[in-house]
C-alpha cells in the first residue's frame, strides 16, 4: 500500500479518535467549549475524507468546495481560543469571517470558470479550437496531470490561471495570525495544554500547507494533528505543565 495512503488513513483515524473523545467529554460535562472543539474536528474530518475520496477517484471532487471547507476550517480554528477565553463580544466573529471567505471564494471561482468558458467559445468562433472538454474532464477527475491540463485547456492553465490556492493561503494566514496569538496568550497565562497543542499543531500544519503539494504536506499534517490530539487528551497538561486535571 502507498505510504501516502497510510498516512492519510492515520490522520483520519486520529481525528476520529479525538471526535469520539470529545463526544464522551461533552456527555459528561456539557461544556459549550467542547462543542466548539467538536465543530472544528468535524469540519477537519470532512475536509480530509472529502479530499481522500477524491484522490482515490471514488468521488468527483470540486476544488471550489474543497477551498470553501478550508475557509470554514480556518474560521472554526479562530472560534476555539475565543471560546476558551470566553470573549463573548467576539463570538459572532468566526461565523461572519467564515461566511465572508466562502462567499468571496464561490463568487471569484465560478466567475473565473465562466470567463474561461467564454474565452474558449471566442477562440472557437475565431477558428481556434484549443479546448478539448472530454480530455479536460478525464484529466480533472482521474489523472490530474499538469501537462495534459495544459494541452486540454490552455486558457484555463495559462491565460486565466487559477489563484484560488493563493487566496486560501493569504486568507488562511490572515485568520491564523490572531488565532496563533490568542493560543499563545492562553498557553502563557493559563498554562493550557490544549492551547499549546493547538498552537504548535496548527503552525506545523500551516507550514506544511505552504508547500502546496500533497507529498511534502502529509507528514506535516500527521505530526500537527497528533500534537493537537496530545493536547486534547490532556497529555501535554500532564507531562509538560504537570497538571492532573484538564
Amino acid at each position: 500500500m502507498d505510504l501516502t495512503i497510510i498516512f492519510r488513513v492515520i490522520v483520519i483515524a486520529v481525528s476520529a479518535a479525538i471526535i469520539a473523545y470529545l463526544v464522551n467529554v461533552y456527555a459528561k460535562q456539557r461544556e459549550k467549549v467542547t462543542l466548539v472543539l467538536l465543530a472544528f474536528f468535524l469540519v477537519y474530518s470532512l475536509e480530509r475524507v472529502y479530499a481522500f475520496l477524491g484522490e482515490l477517484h471514488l468521488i468527483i471532487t470540486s476544488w471550489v468546495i474543497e477551498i470553501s471547507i478550508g475557509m470554514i476550517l480556518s474560521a472554526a480554528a479562530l472560534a476555539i481560543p475565543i471560546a476558551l477565553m470566553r470573549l463573548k463580544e467576539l463570538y459572532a466573529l468566526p461565523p461572519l469571517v467564515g461566511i465572508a471567505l466562502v462567499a468571496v471564494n464561490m463568487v471569484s471561482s465560478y466567475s473565473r470558470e465562466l470567463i474561461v468558458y467564454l474565452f474558449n467559445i471566442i477562440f472557437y468562433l475565431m477558428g481556434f479550437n484549443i479546448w478539448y472538454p472530454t480530455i479536460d474532464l478525464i484529466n480533472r477527475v482521474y489523472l490530474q496531470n499538469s501537462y495534459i491540463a495544459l494541452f486540454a485547456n490552455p486558457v484555463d492553465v495559462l491565460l486565466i490561471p487559477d489563484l484560488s490556492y493563493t487566496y486560501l493561503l493569504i486568507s488562511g494566514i490572515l485568520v491564523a495570525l490572531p488565532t496563533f496569538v490568542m493560543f499563545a496568550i492562553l498557553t502563557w497565562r493559563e498554562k493550557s495544554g490544549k492551547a499549546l497543542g493547538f498552537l504548535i499543531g496548527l503552525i506545523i500544519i500551516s507550514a506544511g500547507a505552504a508547500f502546496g503539494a500533497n507529498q511534502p504536506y502529509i507528514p506535516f499534517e500527521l505530526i500537527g494533528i497528533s500534537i493537537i490530539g496530545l493536547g486534547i487528551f490532556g497529555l501535554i497538561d500532564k507531562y509538560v505543565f504537570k497538571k492532573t486535571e484538564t
Side-chain angles (χ1 to χ4, degrees), residues 9 36 45 47 60 63 70 85 108 111 124 126 144 146 150 163 173 189 206 245-246:
V9 171
V36 178
S45 298
E47 196 279 332
I60 299 176
W63 185 234
M85 298 173 78
S108 61
S111 296
Y124 178 77
M126 293 174 61
Q144 299 173 357
S146 58
L150 178 60
L163 300 177
I173 290 171
R189 188 178 68 185
S206 300
E245 295 183 2
T246 61

Side-chain angles (χ1 to χ4, degrees), residues 49-61 141-142 144:
V49 171
Y50 181 82
F52 184 52
L53 292 178
E55 290 169 4
L56 296 178
H57 308 302
L58 297 177
I59 62 173
I60 299 176
T61 58
V141 176
Y142 297 106
Q144 299 173 357

